[in-house]
Amino acid sequence: MGNLTQEKSFEILNDIADELEKNVDEILVANKKDLDKMDSANPMFDRLLLTKERILGIASDTRHVATLEVPYAKILEERTLENGLNLKKISVPLGVVGVIYEARPNVTVDVASLCLRSGNAVVLKGGTDAYESNLVLVSLMHNVLEKNGIDKNIIQLLPAGHQVATELMNAVGYIDVLIPRGSKNLINTVRDNAKVPVIETGAGVVHTYFDKDGDLEKGKKIIFNAKTRRVSVCNALDCLIIHSSRLQDLVELCKPLADKNVGIFADSRSYAVLENNYSAGLFKATKDDFGKEFQSYNMAIKTVDSLEEALDHIYKFSSKHSEAIITENNVTAQKFLTSVDAACCYHNTSTAFTDGAQFGLGAEIGISTQKLHARGPMALKELTTYKWIILGNGQVRK
C-alpha cells in the first residue's frame, strides 16, 4: 500500500465513484433490506438511510479525496549532525486500520477512500443493522480494485456479530490502530476492552451557550440549525445553556424549534419561562437529561448566572467534541474559546460544521475526541505516523 502511487490511487478512487453512480439502484435495494429490519422511529434510521442523493454525495466525496495530495513519504524534518549523520523524519501510513462503526453505510466508503489515499489497508466492522448495505458497497469497491490489478483484500469487511468485534479488538500484531465510530456505549466498549491501540471518536454531547451579550437573531438561526439540521449525527446540539439575564428571550429563541416538534427538557428556571409559551413537548429536566447525547428531536436547557457557571457545566458534562458560544462580547468569546476543553470550539456559528468535508479535508474517518495523535475531524494526515531515516558513512558511536 505504501508503494501505491498518487496517480494510481487517484485513478482507483475515481473508478470507485463511477461504480457507485452506476449502481445506485443495486445499493438502494440492499439498503432497503436493512431499513426493513429497523423501526423508522429509531434515531439510527436516518443514519442508515441511503437515497440517490446521498449515494451521489458519497461518490462526490470520493472524487474529492482523490484530488487531495497523498500524506505519506513527506519529509517532515531534516538535519545533519556534527558527526555527518543525515536525519530525515518522514511521514508513513499507519499500516492496517481497523474501524468499528454502527448503522452508517456512508462510513464504509468514506473510510475505505481515506485509507486507500493514505496508503493504509483497512478492516471494516460495520453494524449488523447495515450489513446488506455494507456488503454491496464493499463488493463494488472490490470490483474496482481487481480491475486495477490491486489485491482486493486491502479493503476487508468482517461478518456481523459481537464475537467478530471482540476478535478485532484483540488482533494484536494484525491491526495497527483501531478506530471506533458511533455511540458512547460503542466507544466505551472498544476503549475498555481493546488490546490494540485505539483512537476515540464520535460521541458528541454538544452544548451551545447563549451569553448575556448574545444576538437574538443569530441565536435563533444557530440553535435551530445545530439542533435540527440532522439530529442523529454527533455534532447535533444536545444542551442549550442560557444566561439568566436573557431568559426573557428564551421563548423567541425556541420558537423555530417548535416547528420541528423538538422536545425540550428544561431546568426549573427555563421551564417556568417556557410553560404555556412553547407549543411542542416541554418536560421538566432530570439530572439524567444533562450529559446525554439525544440523537433525536430532543434537547435540554440549562440556566446559568455567569460564563464561569456555563464553563463548569460544560466541563462536567462535555464529551469534548464540539462546544459553542453565542455572544457579541469578544472578550467573553475569547475566554470561552480558551477555557473550553473540546476538539472544536465555536463562536457565533453552528456546531453542525464539525465535519471533515466542511473543514476542507475531504471525507473523514471520524471526529477524534482525545488528545493523543489526532483531535477533531480525522482525514488523510491523521492516518499517517512517521519514522526516522538515518544516513551515514561508517560512523560509530563512542
Side-chain angles (χ1 to χ4, degrees), residues 31 35 38-51 54 103-106 227-234 236 295-297:
N31 185 239
L35 291 170
M38 182 181 287
D39 183 352
S40 61
N42 188 324
M44 299 299 288
F45 189 88
D46 180 61
R47 290 190 175 196
L48 175 59
L49 174 66
L50 289 177
T51 62
R54 288 185 179 181
R104 295 189 67 175
N106 64 297
K227 178 65 258 180
T228 67
R229 178 193 164 272
R230 197 169 176 191
V231 296
S232 64
V233 294
C234 57
Q295 295 184 315
S296 65
Y297 283 97

Side-chain angles (χ1 to χ4, degrees), residues 57 67 72 86 124 151 179 218 241 246 267 273 337 348:
T67 67
Y72 55 86
N86 176 255
L124 302 162
D151 185 347
I179 303 172
K218 287 181 186 177
I241 305 172
R246 299 300 299 274
D267 67 357
V273 172
L337 298 173
N348 281 351

Side-chain angles (χ1 to χ4, degrees), residues 204-207 226-227 230-239 351-352:
V205 179
V206 177
H207 302 82
K227 178 65 258 180
R230 197 169 176 191
V231 296
S232 64
V233 294
C234 57
N235 57 32
L237 176 62
D238 294 296
C239 181
T351 56

Side-chain angles (χ1 to χ4, degrees), residues 264-275:
I264 292 178
F265 295 79
D267 67 357
S268 57
R269 287 193 282 180
S270 58
Y271 186 91
V273 172
L274 291 175
E275 190 175 16

Side-chain angles (χ1 to χ4, degrees), residues 139-248:
S139 176
L140 293 172
M141 291 190 286
H142 279 175
N143 291 342
V144 171
L145 291 171
E146 290 183 321
K147 288 176 185 176
N148 282 272
I150 305 296
D151 185 347
K152 69 178 183 180
N153 292 305
I154 63 171
I155 301 173
Q156 292 193 26
L157 176 67
L158 297 183
H162 294 297
Q163 179 58 37
V164 176
T166 300
E167 291 184 28
L168 182 59
M169 287 187 276
N170 288 278
V172 176
Y174 297 94
I175 302 295
D176 291 291
V177 64
L178 185 58
I179 303 172
R181 180 168 172 174
S183 67
K184 186 176 181 179
N185 287 338
L186 171 67
I187 292 165
N188 288 343
T189 297
V190 174
R191 183 193 61 229
D192 294 344
N193 294 283
K195 293 182 179 178
V196 297
V198 173
I199 298 177
E200 295 182 39
T201 74
V205 179
V206 177
H207 302 82
T208 292
Y209 169 51
F210 189 78
D211 182 52
K212 63 180 180 180
D213 297 313
D215 180 274
L216 179 59
E217 290 306 312
K218 287 181 186 177
K220 286 169 64 177
K221 290 193 299 181
I222 291 168
I223 292 165
F224 179 76
N225 181 257
K227 178 65 258 180
T228 67
R229 178 193 164 272
R230 197 169 176 191
V231 296
S232 64
V233 294
C234 57
N235 57 32
L237 176 62
D238 294 296
C239 181
L240 170 63
I241 305 172
I242 186 167
H243 195 281
S244 57
S245 67
R246 299 300 299 274
L247 279 172
Q248 74 274 10

Side-chain angles (χ1 to χ4, degrees), residues 251-252 254-255 272-280 282:
V251 173
E252 190 67 19
C254 293
K255 187 181 293 183
V273 172
L274 291 175
E275 190 175 16
N276 301 320
N277 291 301
Y278 184 70
S279 58
L282 180 64

